[in-house]
Amino acid sequence: MIRVRKRPTREPTIALINIVFLMLVFFMVAGTLAQPMDGDLSLVRTEDLEGRAPPDALVVHDDGRLSYRGEDIDSVASFFDRLDEANRTEVRLVPDRDLSAETLVAVAAELRGSGAERVFVVTERGLE
């Protein structure tokens, strides 16, 4: 009697890798992540605009100094005294770029402690 040798079964991992790779290439070619902008559209240039804080915002300078509407103020409490009742629940905070994170968090916590329900940090946003 002759024994029949069993062939070792190989897993088809190469075929699976090829299928996944082909699917990847297909979706890269067929799909887009975002709709392209219209070709004749030209965006507004903002590089020459003067950056200004919103008029109702508390500005925190890099040395921790506070100002409101162009005038230096002593504390968050004096800022709250100048606000009318409608603007006390939502407060805008404009930090300097070089302000430390600890100071920013401390001022925001003091605003929340004074009665602000929401504190918005105003930042610069650009499109490149």
Side-chain angles (χ1 to χ4, degrees):
M1 288 191 117
I2 300 175
R3 286 190 167 180
V4 179
R5 286 187 178 178
K6 289 185 180 179
R7 288 188 174 185
T9 57
R10 293 175 42 186
E11 294 184 24
T13 56
I14 298 295
L16 182 62
I17 291 172
N18 288 340
I19 291 171
V20 170
F21 179 72
L22 287 175
M23 288 175 57
L24 175 69
V25 170
F26 171 76
F27 285 115
M28 285 174 49
V29 171
T32 57
L33 294 177
Q35 293 290 340
M37 288 195 318
D38 193 8
D40 58 345
L41 178 69
S42 59
L43 297 174
V44 176
R45 293 194 174 268
T46 59
E47 47 191 43
D48 295 332
L49 292 178
E50 178 184 342
R52 265 188 248 160
D56 60 341
L58 175 65
V59 179
V60 185
H61 299 273
D62 59 348
D63 57 356
R65 186 171 38 96
L66 302 174
S67 64
Y68 177 63
R69 294 188 177 176
E71 298 178 13
D72 287 344
I73 58 174
D74 299 334
S75 64
V76 172
S78 62
F79 167 71
F80 254 84
D81 292 341
R82 295 178 185 205
L83 290 178
D84 55 353
E85 291 295 325
N87 292 333
R88 289 185 181 194
T89 58
E90 294 182 353
V91 176
R92 286 174 179 73
L93 180 64
V94 181
D96 188 272
R97 181 182 309 236
D98 297 326
L99 182 69
S100 68
E102 293 89 14
T103 306
L104 177 63
V105 170
V107 170
E110 194 173 346
L111 285 168
R112 292 292 305 256
S114 297
E117 294 175 11
R118 298 172 71 183
V119 177
F120 297 101
V121 178
V122 181
T123 61
E124 179 180 62
R125 180 179 177 184
L127 178 65
E128 295 179 10

